[in-house]
Amino acid sequence: MIDESIKLGLHVKIGEYVIIEKNVVIGDNVVIGHHAVIKEGTIIGNHVIISDHSVLGQFPVSNKKMARKPPSQLSPLVIGNSARIGSQCVIFRGTTIHDGVLVGDAAAIRENVTVGKNSIIGRNVMVENNTFIGEHVTVQTSSYVTAFMIIEDDVFIGPCLSSSNDKYMSAGNGELIGPILKRGSKIGNNVSLLPGVTIGENAVVGAGAVVTKNVKPNEVVIGNPARPMRQ
Amino acid sequence: MIDESIKLGLHVKIGEYVIIEKNVVIGDNVVIGHHAVIKEGTIIGNHVIISDHSVLGQFPVSNKKMARKPPSQLSPLVIGNSARIGSQCVIFRGTTIHDGVLVGDAAAIRENVTVGKNSIIGRNVMVENNTFIGEHVTVQTSSYVTAFMIIEDDVFIGPCLSSSNDKYMSAGNGELIGPILKRGSKIGNNVSLLPGVTIGENAVVGAGAVVTKNVKPNEVVIGNPARPMRQ
Amino acid sequence: MIDESIKLGLHVKIGEYVIIEKNVVIGDNVVIGHHAVIKEGTIIGNHVIISDHSVLGQFPVSNKKMARKPPSQLSPLVIGNSARIGSQCVIFRGTTIHDGVLVGDAAAIRENVTVGKNSIIGRNVMVENNTFIGEHVTVQTSSYVTAFMIIEDDVFIGPCLSSSNDKYMSAGNGELIGPILKRGSKIGNNVSLLPGVTIGENAVVGAGAVVTKNVKPNEVVIGNPARPMRQ
């Protein structure tokens, strides 16, 4: 089970029925839960906890219908120091999880994503490919972060966000433009973001709002479609 | 694999690659699926079925950014008689699942939750910590039940509920007030509940409604924001 | 682990800690990931990839409260040639996945479902029982497809769809009528569909819309409740 190409740090605790593939690097004081699968080449820092049944370093797949094939080459998944990865997570190759990040149970993070220091990716959150998430960001349970989204530092996203990036619902030329959430903005629960909208710095989007246009810095919007709240 | 501190009932059927940790108690006629992980101290009643890949008795974790640290001590997870736990569920310590409850596949239930007799927690439902769920309650697929929520007996929650408990989206003093769903109330699919709203007895909330204020007993509300339906 | 009732094709690659139950049929050039569970009788075509931790061929369960008991007999799960099944999926007996289908990670598909050729069932999508999904359909991440729904060929469903089929929220006679999505219709992200609505051919439902009535062919609807968009 432990191939000689694997670099194992000191005081690593490995659960039962764990699979560690070739060329994996594991730092000191790491805990790996039962039934975890650490795929080829994954790099794990010090003091990381990975809970049961998680799959780290997965390679994307595709079928005939997919317009955009996944990249054939991806850098290894990197998990920073003191990160915590929940149970039953799937995290892909090509992604970097920075120090101190918490990834909740059953969350999935696809290829070429960056998650900045100390951010929280909640339980059952789905993060699609090529998304940038800054530092000290919170993404609460069951939120959906679409591909090519930019989430700056200190953003708060409540539960059940729904975001999108394809204005033509796969009938256009295939250009994808993810929403941009500027620093310190706050998104209530069950908000819908349309492709390419920008939420300004420290703006607030109320629960259940459907955001079809850009929101100015410090503005508070509510409703379907979202409009500035009368003060 | 079977430690001598484990108490095993009669006619227990255990799948392959199962992990049963110390001090677990398992009743008679229990079926445990393949790759299940039963964590230290978990107490399982008679005639319980636990499907493949589920994790029972998990301890919460945290990172630096989390304002509220999880409790350092939690009572064992208790699963009542004849409960059915699906595949790929995660259920935490400190929680009690009463007799006859059905928990669907991929559902997660956090610490200090009570689920009353014969209730149904649907597939992919996320139940956060310190929530009380009564008897004969239905929570349908992919619903999100936030922390500190109270769901009384005979409540029906359709698919994809989104609920929240933090009025200030983590910018306030941290007080969390979950919604209260009174006995017999019915919630349509994809409803958004704001922090602290009360849905009165036998009230009905229409699909897609965004509930920003309390709903009176027997009232029917629809829309964004939710308003009483003209009869 | 490999019972003699199992029929294994040529060049099959099986991961570690995999369970293959009785009477399973596996075609040529199939790859089965680590910790996968292939339940009794499942039939897998050629060139299929099944990723880690998935459960194929699961039998439904019920508790006392469930009005509709699952069927006691179900035909085996059939997975067509060149299908790709992600990690941590659960797919039930009685279902047919046709050639070239992609099922994303953590998706669940219940009993008596058909998924037509080359369709995509996204990550974390939940498909309930007795639903028909045509060919070349896309259902994006975290969408919820209720029971008894009909989705014709070439339909596009964005992320986080919420659909329902019970007008009386379990207080009626139990008749379930799923929505019907006609050929080529397009559904934006976080749309709510009420029981029994029909979305006409090539119609478009905007993000966040709550569809309470039928939508005509080629019509574009938005809002809560959904109304035709002024052109």
Side-chain angles (χ1 to χ4, degrees):
Chain A
M1 197 166 61
I2 298 293
D3 183 284
E4 58 179 35
S5 69
I6 296 166
K7 284 192 191 161
L8 217 57
L10 299 170
H11 311 297
V12 173
K13 209 177 138 189
I14 298 178
E16 296 198 61
Y17 310 121
V18 167
I19 290 149
I20 302 179
E21 295 186 352
K22 273 186 284 186
N23 298 313
V24 165
V25 178
I26 297 178
D28 298 337
N29 300 298
V30 167
V31 178
I32 298 179
H34 306 305
H35 300 109
V37 178
I38 318 292
K39 300 270 189 189
E40 195 178 333
T42 298
I43 298 167
I44 298 173
N46 301 318
H47 298 282
V48 170
I49 301 175
I50 295 157
S51 298
D52 306 337
H53 289 180
S54 280
V55 178
L56 302 188
Q58 182 167 296
F59 209 92
V61 297
S62 65
N63 76 344
K64 269 191 195 169
K65 187 174 189 305
M66 286 178 79
R68 261 167 298 279
K69 299 300 170 200
S72 59
Q73 291 252 337
L74 285 165
S75 57
L77 168 64
V78 178
I79 309 271
N81 298 322
S82 301
R84 267 105 189 80
I85 311 295
S87 300
Q88 302 179 343
C89 295
V90 182
I91 310 184
F92 281 61
R93 265 184 92 85
T95 280
T96 301
I97 306 292
H98 283 281
D99 294 358
V101 166
L102 174 74
V103 179
D105 303 325
I109 303 176
R110 279 187 54 189
E111 69 273 16
N112 293 330
V113 169
T114 299
V115 182
K117 265 203 286 191
N118 298 322
S119 286
I120 298 173
I121 304 298
R123 131 195 352 269
N124 201 34
V125 167
M126 302 287 124
V127 180
E128 299 284 11
N129 53 292
N130 295 79
T131 277
F132 177 86
I133 299 177
E135 302 185 359
H136 305 284
V137 167
T138 297
V139 184
Q140 289 195 333
T141 306
S142 295
S143 279
Y144 174 64
V145 175
T146 192
F148 300 96
M149 205 160 150
I150 296 169
I151 302 176
E152 295 189 354
D153 297 348
D154 304 314
V155 165
F156 175 91
I157 297 176
C160 312
L161 168 71
S162 172
S163 52
S164 60
N165 58 19
D166 184 359
K167 216 171 152 179
Y168 303 100
M169 302 192 204
S170 98
N173 65 1
E175 202 196 1
L176 302 180
I177 313 178
I180 299 172
L181 309 188
K182 305 293 278 184
R183 180 189 289 258
S185 57
K186 291 180 183 301
I187 312 294
N189 61 305
N190 213 12
V191 161
S192 305
L193 299 179
L194 272 80
V197 296
T198 294
I199 310 298
E201 285 199 16
N202 300 309
V204 176
V205 179
V210 178
V211 182
T212 60
K213 295 176 185 171
N214 293 345
V215 176
K216 295 187 186 126
N218 303 301
E219 206 168 44
V220 179
V221 300
I222 57 173
N224 179 358
R227 297 213 161 88
M229 201 166 96
R230 285 159 296 186
Q231 305 284 330
Chain B
M1 198 167 60
I2 299 293
D3 183 284
E4 57 179 35
S5 68
I6 295 166
K7 284 192 192 161
L8 217 56
L10 298 170
H11 311 297
V12 173
K13 207 178 139 188
I14 299 178
E16 296 198 60
Y17 311 121
V18 167
I19 290 149
I20 301 178
E21 294 186 353
K22 271 185 286 187
N23 298 313
V24 165
V25 179
I26 297 177
D28 298 338
N29 300 298
V30 167
V31 178
I32 298 180
H34 306 305
H35 299 109
V37 177
I38 317 294
K39 301 270 190 188
E40 195 178 332
T42 297
I43 299 167
I44 298 171
N46 301 319
H47 299 281
V48 170
I49 301 176
I50 295 157
S51 298
D52 306 336
H53 289 181
S54 281
V55 178
L56 302 188
Q58 181 167 295
F59 208 92
V61 297
S62 65
N63 76 346
K64 267 191 195 169
K65 186 173 191 303
M66 286 178 78
R68 259 167 299 280
K69 299 299 169 201
S72 58
Q73 292 253 337
L74 285 165
S75 57
L77 168 64
V78 178
I79 308 272
N81 297 322
S82 301
R84 268 101 188 83
I85 312 295
S87 298
Q88 303 179 343
C89 294
V90 182
I91 310 184
F92 281 62
R93 268 185 88 88
T95 280
T96 300
I97 306 292
H98 282 281
D99 293 359
V101 166
L102 174 74
V103 178
D105 303 323
I109 302 176
R110 279 186 55 189
E111 69 273 16
N112 294 329
V113 169
T114 298
V115 182
K117 264 202 287 194
N118 298 324
S119 287
I120 298 173
I121 305 298
R123 124 195 357 266
N124 201 35
V125 166
M126 302 286 123
V127 180
E128 300 283 11
N129 53 291
N130 295 79
T131 277
F132 178 86
I133 298 175
E135 301 185 0
H136 306 284
V137 167
T138 297
V139 184
Q140 290 194 333
T141 306
S142 296
S143 279
Y144 174 64
V145 175
T146 192
F148 300 97
M149 207 160 149
I150 297 169
I151 302 175
E152 295 188 355
D153 296 350
D154 304 313
V155 165
F156 175 92
I157 298 176
C160 313
L161 169 71
S162 173
S163 52
S164 60
N165 59 20
D166 184 359
K167 215 173 152 176
Y168 303 101
M169 301 192 204
S170 96
N173 64 2
E175 201 196 2
L176 301 181
I177 314 179
I180 299 172
L181 308 188
K182 305 293 278 186
R183 180 190 289 258
S185 56
K186 292 181 181 301
I187 312 293
N189 61 305
N190 213 13
V191 161
S192 305
L193 300 178
L194 272 78
V197 296
T198 294
I199 310 298
E201 284 199 17
N202 300 310
V204 176
V205 178
V210 177
V211 182
T212 60
K213 295 176 185 170
N214 293 345
V215 175
K216 295 186 187 124
N218 304 303
E219 205 168 43
V220 179
V221 301
I222 57 172
N224 178 0
R227 297 212 161 88
M229 200 166 97
R230 285 159 296 183
Q231 305 285 328
Chain C
M1 197 168 61
I2 299 293
D3 184 283
E4 57 178 38
S5 69
I6 295 166
K7 284 192 192 160
L8 217 57
L10 299 169
H11 312 297
V12 173
K13 209 177 138 190
I14 298 178
E16 296 198 60
Y17 311 121
V18 166
I19 290 149
I20 301 179
E21 294 186 354
K22 271 185 285 188
N23 298 315
V24 166
V25 178
I26 297 178
D28 298 337
N29 301 297
V30 167
V31 178
I32 299 180
H34 307 304
H35 299 110
V37 178
I38 317 293
K39 301 269 189 189
E40 195 177 333
T42 298
I43 299 167
I44 298 173
N46 301 318
H47 300 281
V48 170
I49 301 175
I50 295 157
S51 298
D52 307 335
H53 289 182
S54 279
V55 178
L56 302 189
Q58 180 167 296
F59 209 92
V61 298
S62 66
N63 76 345
K64 268 191 198 171
K65 186 174 190 303
M66 286 177 79
R68 259 168 299 280
K69 299 300 170 202
S72 59
Q73 292 253 338
L74 285 165
S75 57
L77 168 63
V78 177
I79 309 272
N81 297 321
S82 302
R84 269 99 188 83
I85 312 295
S87 300
Q88 301 178 345
C89 295
V90 182
I91 310 184
F92 281 62
R93 266 185 91 86
T95 280
T96 301
I97 306 292
H98 283 282
D99 293 359
V101 166
L102 174 74
V103 179
D105 304 323
I109 302 176
R110 279 185 55 188
E111 71 273 16
N112 294 331
V113 170
T114 299
V115 182
K117 264 203 287 190
N118 298 322
S119 287
I120 297 173
I121 304 298
R123 128 195 355 267
N124 201 35
V125 166
M126 302 286 123
V127 180
E128 300 284 12
N129 54 292
N130 295 79
T131 277
F132 178 86
I133 299 176
E135 302 186 0
H136 305 284
V137 168
T138 297
V139 184
Q140 290 196 331
T141 307
S142 294
S143 279
Y144 175 65
V145 175
T146 192
F148 300 97
M149 205 160 152
I150 297 169
I151 302 176
E152 295 188 354
D153 296 348
D154 305 313
V155 166
F156 174 91
I157 298 177
C160 312
L161 169 71
S162 172
S163 53
S164 60
N165 58 19
D166 184 358
K167 215 172 155 178
Y168 303 101
M169 301 191 203
S170 96
N173 65 1
E175 201 195 2
L176 301 181
I177 314 179
I180 299 172
L181 309 188
K182 304 293 276 185
R183 179 189 290 257
S185 57
K186 293 182 181 300
I187 312 294
N189 61 304
N190 213 13
V191 160
S192 305
L193 299 179
L194 271 79
V197 295
T198 295
I199 310 297
E201 284 200 16
N202 300 310
V204 176
V205 179
V210 177
V211 182
T212 59
K213 294 175 185 171
N214 293 346
V215 176
K216 294 185 187 128
N218 304 301
E219 204 168 44
V220 179
V221 301
I222 57 172
N224 180 357
R227 297 212 161 90
M229 202 166 95
R230 285 159 296 186
Q231 305 285 328

